[in-house]
Amino acid sequence: ETGVTQSPTHLIKTRGQQVTLRCSSQSGHNTVSWYQQALGQGPQFIFQYYREEENGRGNFPPRFSGLQFPNYSSELNVNALELDDSALYLCASSSQPQETQYFGPGTRLLVL
Amino acid sequence: AQSVTQLDSQVPVFEEAPVELRCNYSSSVSVYLFWYVQYPNQGLQLLLKYLSGSTLVKGINGFEAEFNKSQTSFHLRKPSVHISDTAEYFCAVSRITSGTYKYIFGTGTRLKVLA
């Protein structure tokens, strides 16, 4: 059974650019959640997708958007990057929205 | 507003000693409670969760936590720690609002086990 995978592992962008991060959910999981973890902080909930629909959103601006595909993999898109967007972005999948989340290793984004 | 407070940012403890990592939450509605562990340069791994039922929850690696509704706490304990328990520990809550889920994590407690 393959766990949650994320790509890329590291990424460097400049202010104003756009970025797309990818997540493959664990086999049999239909729910994906995205988190932003700044250095020394706990993860902050960005949003959750359940069966290709957004199923909850944290306090992030609209320039953070997402998609979930029919195979339940997911993308996180961030437009107009700001320096404060530098963080570890974590993806987690679960078999249902309320079930245990399994986390991927994360994508570390640096915005210069 | 809903929040999670981890009262200790760092906890040093000697190997084989007991440890308690504290977590308090505030919420006006019922919540689910979780503890996760994060090793350096890795994602989060679930240690244990409380959904309902018995207030004492046992998790992996010998950890347990007790849900105390009156004190709105969910402290994590281990009777005897190992060097390998050195990591960052996060307390989290989730709740349903209008049919959707929101998750809130604490700021984390860095557990350092000393030889």
Side-chain angles (χ1 to χ4, degrees):
Chain A
E1 182 181 271
T2 305
V4 178
T5 60
Q6 293 186 242
S7 63
T9 56
H10 295 81
L11 201 53
I12 300 175
K13 292 285 188 179
T14 56
R15 273 186 305 174
Q17 285 189 311
Q18 177 265 343
V19 69
T20 297
L21 309 182
R22 295 178 175 83
C23 172
S24 291
S25 57
Q26 188 165 314
S27 176
H29 287 184
N30 57 23
T31 304
V32 171
S33 302
W34 285 93
Y35 295 84
Q36 180 194 68
Q37 186 179 18
L39 200 61
Q41 299 295 316
Q44 299 289 314
F45 177 60
I46 303 175
F47 42 57
Q48 181 185 80
Y49 278 83
Y50 170 56
R51 293 185 174 180
E52 303 179 60
E53 298 286 332
E54 188 176 289
N55 189 50
R57 190 178 181 94
N59 297 323
F60 280 81
R63 61 190 185 84
F64 285 78
S65 63
L67 282 174
Q68 187 178 32
F69 300 99
N71 66 355
Y72 302 129
S73 65
S74 177
E75 287 182 354
L76 164 64
N77 299 290
V78 187
N79 295 321
L81 283 167
E82 301 176 0
L83 296 180
D84 285 348
D85 295 333
S86 296
L88 179 67
Y89 288 84
L90 295 164
C91 164
S93 75
S94 55
S95 58
Q96 292 290 317
Q98 70 276 24
E99 293 297 329
T100 299
Q101 297 184 72
Y102 294 86
F103 283 79
T107 293
R108 190 165 296 280
L109 172 65
L110 177 62
V111 182
L112 301 175
Chain B
Q2 190 174 322
S3 68
V4 177
T5 303
Q6 292 186 242
L7 298 165
D8 306 297
S9 59
Q10 294 188 64
V11 173
V13 62
F14 285 103
E15 192 174 19
E16 297 183 8
V19 70
E20 178 180 82
L21 306 184
R22 296 180 292 170
C23 173
N24 287 85
Y25 68 94
S26 64
S27 176
S28 57
V29 299
S30 296
V31 296
Y32 299 146
L33 298 157
F34 306 83
W35 274 99
Y36 285 86
V37 61
Q38 186 175 34
Y39 298 102
N41 300 313
Q42 293 188 28
L44 279 70
Q45 180 183 6
L46 180 71
L47 282 175
L48 47 80
K49 61 183 177 183
Y50 173 79
L51 304 181
S52 63
S54 173
T55 58
L56 183 62
V57 181
K58 293 191 181 297
I60 63 171
N61 301 342
F63 284 93
E64 64 181 30
E66 185 155 19
F67 170 59
N68 187 320
K69 188 174 182 179
S70 62
Q71 297 185 7
T72 60
S73 67
F74 191 55
H75 300 334
L76 180 71
R77 301 186 186 101
K78 186 169 182 178
S80 176
V81 295
H82 303 290
I83 295 287
S84 60
D85 292 324
T86 295
E88 190 89 22
Y89 291 80
F90 292 96
C91 179
V93 304
S94 75
R95 64 166 186 164
I96 302 174
T97 303
S98 303
T100 64
Y101 285 83
K102 284 198 173 183
Y103 299 84
I104 298 178
F105 280 77
T107 52
T109 296
R110 185 173 298 276
L111 175 63
K112 184 167 179 60
V113 181
L114 308 169

